[in-house]
Amino acid sequence: MHERLVDVFTSNGLITAFAAVGLLMLICNLVSKHLTRGRIHGSAIAIAAGLVLSYIGGVSTGGEDGLADVALFSGLGLMGGSMLRDFAIVATAFGVDVEELRKAGMNGVIALFVGIIMPFALGGAIAYAFGYTDAVSVTTIGAGAATYIVGPVTGTAIGAGSDLIALSIAIGLVKSISVMIVTPMVARAISLNNPSAALVFGGMMGTTSGVAGGLAATDARLVPYGAMTATFYTGLGCLLGPSVLYLVVRALLGG
């Protein structure tokens, strides 16, 4: 009976993956509600739990794809891949009121550029302070400080090594989780209570998962607006990182 169940779950990998993630989210939301009283959103706890499970799966199988290397959870490789990730990000746009999007106007545009340049400069400065003095390293780590997607995209484009790309992803994940946790704590102080503010906030923070999780814990109605500009942020960062920003860093540091 046990072997039959395993065969059914394994042969329906994607369905099993959705069920496993749904169960994990249920548990994490219960932990958020009863242990943190909602101060830490369930999504943030789920991301941390997912990273731990991925590590355990990779260590136990000796593979490179985390929990997806376990046959029972092989569907996680597809579910967590770029296709469904990008679909989920784009789908958030359908919840946006176009009139509210127009209201952001120039403030939203400025937020995007400031939101990319500031963390990039800060991440690059910290990288330089820790001994990374070549343009490729500084640019890759700086891009990772923008988001964990911009970092590897930029690093791959300019020829960074796998160690630098991994470091940029780690930095971006720390930012994402931090934004997710801190957003509901500071929302009232920064008047994050309307679509226009959410649009600017998403443009400043940039990390789509962090912004979406943080706004979900603050006011779920604001999620599409913050996620919209956060998605633009990711695209703009992927364009600027390996081009303009890399050239600026190269001009400052040399080859």
Side-chain angles (χ1 to χ4, degrees), residues 23-206:
L23 179 61
L24 178 64
M25 285 301 304
L26 175 63
I27 294 171
C28 291
N29 283 331
L30 289 174
V31 171
S32 171
K33 180 179 179 181
H34 296 292
L35 296 185
T36 72
R37 296 183 180 180
R39 289 187 178 88
I40 300 178
H41 194 260
S43 298
I45 299 173
I47 287 177
L51 290 172
V52 172
L53 290 172
S54 179
Y55 174 78
I56 292 173
V59 169
S60 62
T61 62
E64 299 179 351
D65 296 322
L67 204 59
D69 287 317
V70 179
L72 184 62
F73 301 110
S74 59
L76 289 169
L78 176 59
M79 183 183 179
S82 59
M83 180 181 69
L84 289 179
R85 179 201 67 202
D86 294 342
F87 174 79
I89 291 173
V90 172
T92 61
F94 288 91
V96 171
D97 184 340
V98 177
E99 289 303 317
E100 294 291 350
L101 185 60
R102 287 173 181 167
K103 288 179 184 178
M106 188 55 65
N107 290 335
V109 175
I110 293 172
L112 282 170
F113 282 95
V114 172
I116 291 171
I117 293 171
M118 284 186 63
F120 178 87
L122 181 59
I126 293 175
Y128 188 84
F130 275 86
Y132 293 94
T133 56
D134 62 287
V136 170
S137 299
V138 171
T139 302
T140 302
I141 295 173
T147 78
Y148 60 80
I149 295 176
V150 175
V153 168
T154 299
T156 301
I158 61 178
S162 58
D163 55 336
L164 285 171
I165 291 175
L167 183 57
S168 73
I169 294 173
I171 294 169
L173 282 172
V174 170
K175 177 184 177 181
S176 179
I177 294 173
S178 299
V179 169
M180 195 177 295
I181 293 173
V182 173
T183 298
M185 298 180 183
V186 302
R188 183 175 298 178
I190 63 176
S191 299
L192 185 56
N193 54 13
N194 60 82
S196 295
L199 285 165
V200 173
F201 181 76
M204 287 292 294
M205 296 296 103

